[in-house]
Amino acid sequence: MFKILEKWEMADNTVCHFKIEAPLIAKKAQPGQFVVLRPNETGERIPLTMAGTDPAQGTIDIIFQVVGKTTALLRTLQKGDAILDIIGPLGRPTHVEKLGTVICVGGGTGIAVLYPITRALQEIGNHVISIVGARTKYLLILEDEMKNVSDEFFITTDDGSYGRHGFVTDALKDLLDERTDIKLVVGIGPVPMMKFVCKTTEPYGVKTLVSLNTIMVDATGMCGACRATVGGKTQFCCVDGPEFDGHQVDFDELMKRQAAYLKEERQSYERFQKEQE
Amino acid sequence: MTEKEKKEKIPRQPMPEQDPKKRSMNFDEVPYGYTPELAQKEASRCLQCKKPKCVEGCPVGVKIPEFINLIAEGDFIGAAKKLKEDNSLPAVCGRVCPQESQCEALCVLGKKDEPVAVGRLERFAADYERAQGTVDLPQLPPPTGKKVAVVGSGPAGLTLAGDLIKFGHQVTIFEALHKPGGVLVYGIPEFRLPKAIVEAEVDYLKRLGVEIKYNHVVGKILTVDELLEMGYDAVFLGVGAGLPVFMNIPGENLCGIYSANEYLTRSNLMKAYLFPKYDTPIAVGKNVAVIGGGNVAMDSARTALRLGANNVHIVYRRSKTELPARAEEVHHAEEEGVQFKFLTAPLRYIGNADGWVTGMECIQMELGEPDDSGRRRPVPIEDSNFTLDVDLAVIAIGTGANPIITGTIPNLELNKWGYIVADEATGKTSRERVYAGGDIVTGAATVILAMGAGRNSSQAIHQYLMNKS
Ligand SMILES: Cc1cc2nc3c(=O)[nH]c(=O)nc-3n(C[C@H](O)[C@H](O)[C@H](O)COP(=O)(O)OP(=O)(O)OC[C@H]3O[C@@H](n4cnc5c(N)ncnc54)[C@H](O)[C@@H]3O)c2cc1C
Ligand SMILES: Cc1cc2nc3c(=O)[nH]c(=O)nc-3n(C[C@H](O)[C@H](O)[C@H](O)COP(=O)(O)OP(=O)(O)OC[C@H]3O[C@@H](n4cnc5c(N)ncnc54)[C@H](O)[C@@H]3O)c2cc1C
Ligand code: SF4
Ligand code: SF4
Ligand code: FES
């Protein structure tokens, strides 16, 4: 059992942040790695990135968006409650190196995944430019945290309620036009966003990393649920990723595979909402 | 009539089982097992050979005539105890051993007539003992103060853990998943091996003092070197062959195409067959193709039927005689309505706009010259292509070695397929204090062979620990 030590809600209660006691995982985890958790005996195993760790205190942070049954169930847990199973750290850590100037682009809850990577990139001495976006102002998360680990910082919202009106890719394109010293772009967010980030950077020939959030089961390379086509070859995102060269990723296949259980997910979620009433 | 002739007159006793029509709709165990009367009748067929051939066929040398004799005499508990002298999981082996190619294959009765049903009797004795309530714990020797880490809780790891704790060592199992048992829980379905049996075996080990740490992926949260530094005197790797093999043919990443590992893990470990009571979903196919011909393929096909498929095809590139699955599984699958497409191989999958599989293009095969394995090699027949309508496909063509742990142990010798090189008699690897056994050494094999490997390593580790002062 893994105890929840702190709980915060954000983005109008659509996003939830837990600090969880998990000393062994906290000791080992590196930026870019994730955990798999199973809330209770009848629960599903779902992957969530560690948005932060504190090896001294023995804690890990997860930040998740409520999108279906499991995340909604997690949200009902309070400080002091426990999660039945947490497995980690999983996946390959981000390859962090000093390159010069890098751009970190985050959308929606993807910002939670991007945050530890951004911090690591800055700590090693890169000049970090961050662009974070959301549909609308109140959905933007981790603004201060991201700002603190960035040398330059931009915000966009789809509806113009905060920061620049438009998509993160608009801001990204301007930066790519202005500067020629960009060595790396890291883009993490909803799949369509990552796809367009890659489309945006491709003509400039700037290497672009994305984090693929495929459906997973064991997340140890044992089942292949998480397979994606990268560079024409099948990769298991849980062990070969989750980060890949975005210019090689078959995003259309990824989106279709993510939608494989829409019917069952809806059924589960509706059942859960009824039970809650 | 001589005693021998009289015995030969008794036919092999069938096991009562669920009606095929009914059972193809539920996940309850298929055979009910022998009643005491049936067991005694079957046991009475055994000739009590002086030089029992059957024992030579058993990889762990179960004292077959002795335990069968105890059943014939009505001492069922005694029979179970006798079994456990050589086999720590008789309730499992009685159910899943390929008896027809092991113990029963060599039974002398099998020459003229049918062999003694060793597996069914083994299962009976073990079930009888379990049904009597808690199994007595043996007296443990005083603690030796030595600690052993076991990685993986499959049959190899469980067997080894049971042995070592009985020698007085301290044993901790590190298991990647949230439940113990390895393939016994995530792979083999409930209708063939009820999970309560595996749980009872693991409970017994826990009562003996074996500690199990779940959710520990060794290689990630801890490395083997760290385990050694933490004070474990030796480490045993029983991590199985859990890497799914795909065919790398076009369309294989369409939705509705599963590795058998994923399909069975969803259904068994995650209990997707009880969806939505359990949260993990599984796609329910109407027309299902399962590619392969082993136990894994039979389990997948029979699971698909139970989940509600109308048509389930086993697509196998050789012919019926080459099927590697246990004879009983093939027989049960046929009874339940699984259709076999022999001498057939998939070439590519066809999908719709949503990315779901809708069809599988296949080619007809014929058997040519024998290959390395001694079996006749299947060769495609030109222009014999045809398309099978499928909305779900399960790939069950084998597994490989998962590098998640082997890749994090420096200087561990692996063979060209990535399996660990280990001495057959002791499980010793190229690394001092590191032993390995089961599927991660041999490649996908059987429960009893994995248990045998665990047994061999436990002896070797015990010797090493005791010599080491
Ligand atoms: C490596 C990785 C890291 C992730 N990190 C984060 C994170 O930090 N914060 C965050 O909010 N989300 C993260 N996700 C996504 C998160 O796992 C899903 O949102 C979650 O599984 C949804 O579960 P649900 O039951 O609430 O919703 P569902 O209604 O079950 O599913 C909603 C959508 O989530 C996806 N999903 C469903 N089941 C799974 C599963 N078993 N594994 C993966 N995806 C699934 C599907 O695309 C589905 O359409 C990550 C995913 C991956 C693969
Ligand atoms: C569907 C199916 C049906 C089968 N049917 C039969 C049958 O009828 N008869 C028969 O004799 N055999 C059968 N087999 C084969 C048999 O189950 C295996 O040969 C046997 O289970 C191998 O035992 P093992 O202990 O080596 O490994 P496994 O049973 O594979 O167990 C390995 C364990 O190690 C864990 N592990 C892996 N990596 C790590 C890590 N890095 N850290 C921690 N833990 C880890 C795994 O999660 C797993 O629990 C079947 C196999 C399958 C898949
Ligand atoms: S363990 Fe398996 S091979 Fe040995 S006697 Fe029992 S059923 Fe036969
Ligand atoms: S070979 Fe057959 S008849 Fe002889 S002891 Fe073994 S089981 Fe009995
Ligand atoms: S989630 Fe099972 S192999 Fe990646």
Side-chain angles (χ1 to χ4, degrees), chain B residues 121-142:
Chain B
L121 289 170
E122 182 164 329
R123 163 194 171 133
F124 166 78
D127 285 359
Y128 185 89
E129 187 191 38
R130 203 177 53 256
Q132 293 305 298
T134 45
V135 180
D136 292 341
L137 292 183
Q139 186 72 39
L140 292 186

Side-chain angles (χ1 to χ4, degrees), chain B residues 60-121:
Chain B
V60 296
V62 164
K63 298 182 191 76
I64 297 171
E66 284 94 327
F67 100 78
I68 292 183
N69 191 39
L70 288 163
I71 294 184
E73 288 172 354
D75 181 2
F76 305 141
I77 298 282
K81 291 221 160 76
K82 183 60 72 186
L83 275 161
K84 284 196 171 161
E85 288 175 13
D86 303 290
N87 177 348
S88 50
L89 304 172
V92 175
C93 292
R95 288 174 165 81
V96 306
C97 264
Q99 290 95 6
E100 72 273 12
S101 55
Q102 297 183 353
C103 49
E104 295 180 16
L106 299 183
C107 170
V108 291
L109 279 188
K111 281 196 194 127
K112 268 204 255 157
D113 189 17
E114 289 193 278
V116 173
V118 180
R120 292 171 187 175
L121 289 170

